[in-house]
Amino acid sequence: MQNPTSEVFNRAQVRRRRERASAGYHQADFLKKRVLEDISDRLASTGRKFDRALCLGGYSAQTKEILGPFCGDLIETDFAQGRVGKGGLVADEEWLPFKDESFDLVVSPLALHWVNDLPGSLIQINRAMKPDGFFVGVLAGGASFTELRQSLLRAESELTGGAEMRVSPFADAADMSALLQRAGLALPVSDRDRLTIRYDTIFDVMRDLQALGETHAPAQGLGRPLRRDVLMRAAQIYASEFADADGRLRVTVDLIWVTGWAPHSSQPKPKRPGSAKVSMAEAVGTKELPAGDKAGR
Amino acid sequence: MAELNTDGLDPKLLEVLVCPISRGPLIYDPEASELVSQKAGVAYPIRDGVPIMLADEARELDPSEVTD
């Protein structure tokens, strides 16, 4: 078990939120659909079909339809039972219930941003994959919801003299590449896909986050509840600072994409330093100058 | 082990599952609708055909149930 003080999220609360939000969740599910479609593009680009596949977290009724063409058997999980249909299972992304080397493919659409021990989860994902298995994860990260974060912080500090973190801390693409490597995944790649979603009011933004069960769940618990006047002031700040010319509000969502492969002998590997047979100058088609000499005038 | 088709739990799912606490094997008990981990001394419920593989939701085994 982890030291509780090192935890960012209260996982039990994350789960309760997801359970409570299960019923109305499909209305606000447009982002998941887009992510699943993008995952299917990445799967198509590998030119493979994956016999045994796992969709870890982020259970959705659309997953089978969108990813099915690339998969033989597809097992789907979520952290909340209310989201999972028959044939799926409830699993904690921090405590995977799978045998080693079970899957040719693991995808995780919008679930890993709620995990406390991301290195631990990635290590477990690596173990659950067969050699040469493929992993694609997508998580909210980077500057996601920065407008909401800034509006709430400013409104709260103006009106109460103090402020709390009301939007989750996020990982960035650079953090993720390091974590993938640390987890032992080969050919790790991490990139960021920035979306701007537009809303009418701050209340619509917050309503959708609630409908998705994606509201902040800090390990230390939320301190003071958000005061109504603070929320009203935040709505003003949001509308004045982060609106487009037509008055609609911008919401930044940074999707952090991570891909990697379970190590296998067929994959390209870097050569040992000093083992090169061709000089760098030859490789790039230039003339090698002796060290210490000045370049030509 | 009993037959695997009683409440439609997919045998392919059972093939890949282990206990998330002990990483030990699981035994399917169709009467109780549970997946039993002798190694961790707990049983995970199956609700509406969906295994709940969470430590928080697992039932601690009675000493009489532990085969060891």
Side-chain angles (χ1 to χ4, degrees):
Chain A
M1 290 293 249
Q2 286 182 38
N3 175 359
T5 55
S6 72
E7 297 197 340
V8 180
F9 303 117
N10 177 339
R11 292 282 292 168
Q13 191 174 29
V14 168
R15 189 160 145 249
R16 281 196 301 275
R17 291 256 164 84
R18 289 184 83 83
E19 292 287 6
R20 259 207 309 264
S22 296
Y25 156 75
H26 296 290
Q27 301 158 16
D29 207 15
F30 58 90
L31 192 56
K32 178 70 58 62
K33 180 158 192 275
R34 170 178 167 145
V35 163
L36 287 169
E37 282 166 353
D38 288 354
I39 289 175
S40 80
D41 289 346
R42 299 213 183 196
L43 298 185
S45 72
T46 66
R48 298 196 186 192
K49 180 149 180 184
F50 303 92
D51 276 348
R52 310 208 96 180
L54 169 69
C55 183
L56 179 65
Y59 188 98
S60 157
Q62 321 167 73
T63 308
K64 270 228 157 74
E65 187 193 322
I66 299 174
L67 301 185
F70 302 96
C71 307
D73 295 313
L74 175 62
I75 293 174
E76 296 174 69
T77 79
D78 200 282
F79 194 28
Q81 194 193 349
R83 300 258 174 116
V84 176
K86 210 165 160 61
L89 68 132
V90 176
D92 185 337
E93 293 87 13
E94 295 186 353
W95 295 86
L96 296 194
F98 302 109
K99 276 184 200 150
D100 291 358
E101 304 194 3
S102 290
F103 301 105
D104 303 291
L105 172 71
V106 177
V107 303
S108 182
L110 298 176
L112 293 177
H113 51 275
W114 285 120
V115 160
N116 283 307
D117 181 14
L118 203 43
S121 288
L122 292 171
I123 287 167
Q124 292 183 54
I125 288 167
N126 192 7
R127 285 181 60 175
M129 289 196 292
K130 296 180 192 171
D132 215 23
F134 187 44
F135 169 60
V136 188
V138 187
L139 50 157
S144 292
F145 302 102
T146 180
E147 302 87 356
L148 184 63
R149 185 197 303 266
Q150 292 177 53
S151 304
L152 287 170
L153 266 177
R154 234 177 77 193
E156 194 161 28
S157 61
E158 270 178 29
L159 293 174
T160 71
E164 300 197 22
M165 284 298 261
R166 298 201 182 268
V167 177
S168 298
F170 289 119
D172 210 338
D175 309 333
M176 289 307 297
S177 326
L179 290 183
L180 286 169
Q181 207 148 26
R182 211 171 121 192
L185 287 156
L187 311 172
V189 176
S190 168
D191 53 274
R192 189 193 72 189
D193 179 14
R194 174 162 291 178
L195 314 177
T196 304
I197 304 170
R198 303 200 320 143
Y199 278 90
D200 288 330
T201 70
I202 194 171
F203 309 105
D204 300 305
V205 179
M206 295 174 85
R207 188 206 55 217
D208 263 11
L209 284 171
Q210 241 152 27
L212 292 166
E214 294 279 335
T215 46
H216 193 22
Q220 312 78 20
L222 282 169
R224 293 164 299 175
L226 189 57
R227 271 169 34 187
R228 190 173 168 73
D229 58 335
V230 170
L231 183 56
M232 291 310 187
R233 177 68 189 125
Q236 281 175 354
I237 294 170
Y238 207 129
S240 69
E241 306 266 318
F242 305 109
D244 283 332
D246 62 359
R248 298 198 77 199
L249 306 182
R250 288 189 300 276
V251 177
T252 298
V253 177
D254 279 344
L255 299 178
I256 307 297
W257 282 81
V258 295
T259 60
W261 298 80
H264 184 259
S265 56
S266 70
Q267 292 160 353
K269 279 182 198 58
K271 291 222 158 61
R272 289 226 333 271
S275 63
K277 298 250 176 2
V278 178
S279 76
M280 178 60 94
E282 259 174 80
V284 300
T286 181
K287 213 180 110 199
E288 186 156 355
L289 298 169
D293 286 10
K294 294 248 190 308
R297 274 158 277 194
Chain B
M1 254 183 28
E3 274 190 37
L4 299 177
N5 55 6
T6 7
D7 62 3
L9 202 61
D10 186 350
K12 283 187 178 143
L13 188 55
L14 275 177
E15 256 175 54
V16 297
L17 283 182
V18 291
C19 167
I21 303 169
S22 65
R23 301 201 56 78
L26 293 166
I27 297 162
Y28 178 40
D29 177 349
E31 272 105 82
S33 211
E34 285 179 336
L35 291 164
V36 178
S37 169
Q38 286 287 344
K39 200 166 161 191
V42 298
Y44 300 92
I46 301 168
R47 298 191 192 121
D48 304 322
V50 175
I52 316 292
M53 304 308 294
L54 305 176
D56 287 356
E57 299 281 321
R59 176 180 70 84
E60 225 169 292
L61 293 184
D62 198 75
S64 67
E65 294 177 282
V66 179
T67 52
D68 187 62

